[in-house]
Amino acid sequence: MTTHPKPVTISVAAAEFGRDMEQGYATIAALLEEARNRGSQLLVLPEACLGGYLPSLGGGDETEESRQRRLKALPPALELDGPEIKRVIDMAGDTVVTFGFCEKDGDTRYNAAVTVDGSGILGSYRKVHQPLGENLCYDAGDSYSAFDTPVGRMGMQICYDKGFPEAARELALDGAEIVASISAWPTARTATVENMEEDRWKQRFDIYDRARALENQIIWVAANQAGTFGSLRFVCSAKIVGPGGEILAGTGVEPGLATATVDVDALIGAARGGGMYNLRDRRPSVYRTITKEPVHA
């Protein structure tokens, strides 16, 4: 585990981002300013900050007209080394910032995340798990890896990834102490409720966040979109979760910035030092079916 000379102050956002790139940069700048005012060294922003998310989800058959309409509604595709990402790098300065965007690689698009500071790109990631027809718009990534930053060794996930314990475990086994899980996580499409606190997809979001932190004994930082986009209404619920599964700070179902000062070494050391060290006590030889390809009906 990386040795941290002092506690790390982390801020995480539930904020609204749409197609207007200039508005997106303005929102990032405002959140950066607020995070710095709180003394934060790390700011985690939602999925699809630059250019917004997809206006709707759902697979199945579609007409050619529907396909063309869907393709025209996609967010702008940006290159990892392009000027749009560089603009956030220049804004970041000494602050480590994680955010989402649509990545262009030749003719291929990925739902992507990147962590930067003023020195450049510290790590990048392409979303592996795709829900509800997202594969109609993006190709899938194929790897998880942790990376070193000024605030410690980090990993990244995007939205639906949090539903797969293997994904978080891969990052923890690669030494990630802090995982930034960025989302555009909406309310349920059926059995809707007036009080968002009671929404079943909101409750799943929270359970996943706490479980992934607890089972890997790491710091889990979950950002999410706020407001609405297209047919989607987002659950907010940005939070920082400690390695015991405890919520250290959160926005609830409102937009905002949650902040916590975390002694990473002390918290993780306490969680893993009490006789239950989940990574050490694994028995991989018993988990014979985990990496088998699924059988589809």
Side-chain angles (χ1 to χ4, degrees), residues 104-154:
K104 172 183 172 65
D105 185 0
D107 293 330
T108 305
R109 290 170 176 258
Y110 297 95
N111 190 342
V114 64
T115 295
V116 306
D117 66 7
S119 70
I121 292 172
L122 302 171
S124 64
Y125 166 69
R126 293 167 172 173
K127 184 177 181 181
V128 170
H129 297 98
Q130 298 179 307
L132 299 172
E134 196 176 89
N135 62 313
L136 297 173
C137 303
Y138 298 116
D139 278 36
D142 60 8
S143 66
Y144 291 100
S145 59
F147 51 94
D148 293 320
T149 80
V151 298
R153 192 158 174 82
M154 289 183 61

Side-chain angles (χ1 to χ4, degrees), residues 46-153:
E47 174 182 6
C49 285
L50 297 182
Y53 186 55
L54 306 176
S56 63
L57 289 171
D61 296 331
E62 63 177 347
T63 65
E64 180 59 25
E65 181 182 0
S66 296
R67 177 177 177 274
Q68 291 301 323
R69 187 166 57 247
R70 172 176 57 78
L71 293 175
K72 289 179 181 177
L74 294 180
L78 314 175
E79 295 182 346
L80 191 60
D81 60 355
E84 299 88 357
I85 305 299
K86 179 64 163 57
R87 186 166 169 181
V88 182
I89 291 171
D90 292 340
M91 295 165 65
D94 293 336
T95 309
V96 177
V97 182
T98 299
F99 62 97
F101 69 107
C102 173
E103 182 183 354
K104 172 183 172 65
D105 185 0
D107 293 330
T108 305
R109 290 170 176 258
Y110 297 95
N111 190 342
V114 64
T115 295
V116 306
D117 66 7
S119 70
I121 292 172
L122 302 171
S124 64
Y125 166 69
R126 293 167 172 173
K127 184 177 181 181
V128 170
H129 297 98
Q130 298 179 307
L132 299 172
E134 196 176 89
N135 62 313
L136 297 173
C137 303
Y138 298 116
D139 278 36
D142 60 8
S143 66
Y144 291 100
S145 59
F147 51 94
D148 293 320
T149 80
V151 298
R153 192 158 174 82

Side-chain angles (χ1 to χ4, degrees), residues 4-288:
H4 298 79
K6 58 183 179 180
V8 175
T9 300
I10 300 169
S11 285
V12 60
E16 187 169 356
F17 291 89
R19 285 287 182 270
D20 187 328
M21 294 277 287
E22 287 303 318
Q23 181 58 55
Y25 287 122
T27 301
I28 292 172
L31 291 167
L32 255 173
E33 181 178 12
E34 179 60 28
R36 288 188 179 118
N37 288 340
R38 299 183 185 190
S40 301
Q41 292 89 44
L42 170 63
L43 171 63
V44 179
L45 300 170
E47 174 182 6
C49 285
L50 297 182
Y53 186 55
L54 306 176
S56 63
L57 289 171
D61 296 331
E62 63 177 347
T63 65
E64 180 59 25
E65 181 182 0
S66 296
R67 177 177 177 274
Q68 291 301 323
R69 187 166 57 247
R70 172 176 57 78
L71 293 175
K72 289 179 181 177
L74 294 180
L78 314 175
E79 295 182 346
L80 191 60
D81 60 355
E84 299 88 357
I85 305 299
K86 179 64 163 57
R87 186 166 169 181
V88 182
I89 291 171
D90 292 340
M91 295 165 65
D94 293 336
T95 309
V96 177
V97 182
T98 299
F99 62 97
F101 69 107
C102 173
E103 182 183 354
K104 172 183 172 65
D105 185 0
D107 293 330
T108 305
R109 290 170 176 258
Y110 297 95
N111 190 342
V114 64
T115 295
V116 306
D117 66 7
S119 70
I121 292 172
L122 302 171
S124 64
Y125 166 69
R126 293 167 172 173
K127 184 177 181 181
V128 170
H129 297 98
Q130 298 179 307
L132 299 172
E134 196 176 89
N135 62 313
L136 297 173
C137 303
Y138 298 116
D139 278 36
D142 60 8
S143 66
Y144 291 100
S145 59
F147 51 94
D148 293 320
T149 80
V151 298
R153 192 158 174 82
M154 289 183 61
M156 291 181 287
Q157 295 193 345
I158 299 176
C159 210
Y160 190 41
D161 285 326
K162 75 175 73 211
F164 298 84
E166 302 90 343
R169 181 54 53 88
E170 277 286 309
L171 290 170
L173 290 173
D174 198 22
E177 304 156 318
I178 301 170
V179 170
S181 175
I182 69 173
S183 297
W185 192 284
T187 56
R189 296 187 298 172
T190 58
T192 57
V193 293
E194 185 175 341
N195 181 0
M196 196 186 292
E197 288 282 3
E198 299 173 359
D199 181 82
R200 57 194 176 93
W201 280 23
K202 187 269 182 191
Q203 292 175 2
R204 291 176 189 176
F205 185 86
D206 294 341
I207 291 167
Y208 285 143
D209 287 336
R210 299 183 72 178
R212 298 297 87 88
L214 174 61
E215 67 200 4
N216 293 292
Q217 298 166 307
I218 56 175
I219 310 300
W220 189 267
V221 187
N224 196 25
Q225 288 263 3
T228 61
F229 188 74
S231 65
L232 303 177
R233 177 188 179 212
F234 301 109
V235 303
C236 298
S237 299
K239 66 181 75 65
I240 301 163
V241 187
E246 67 281 13
I247 297 177
L248 303 176
T251 66
V253 293
E254 299 296 330
L257 199 65
T259 302
T261 299
V262 179
D263 189 328
V264 177
D265 290 345
L267 282 179
I268 293 180
R272 297 177 178 181
M276 296 176 67
Y277 182 2
N278 296 359
L279 302 185
R280 178 197 63 202
D281 296 338
R282 293 177 310 115
R283 296 185 60 198
S285 63
V286 178
Y287 316 143
R288 291 183 295 272

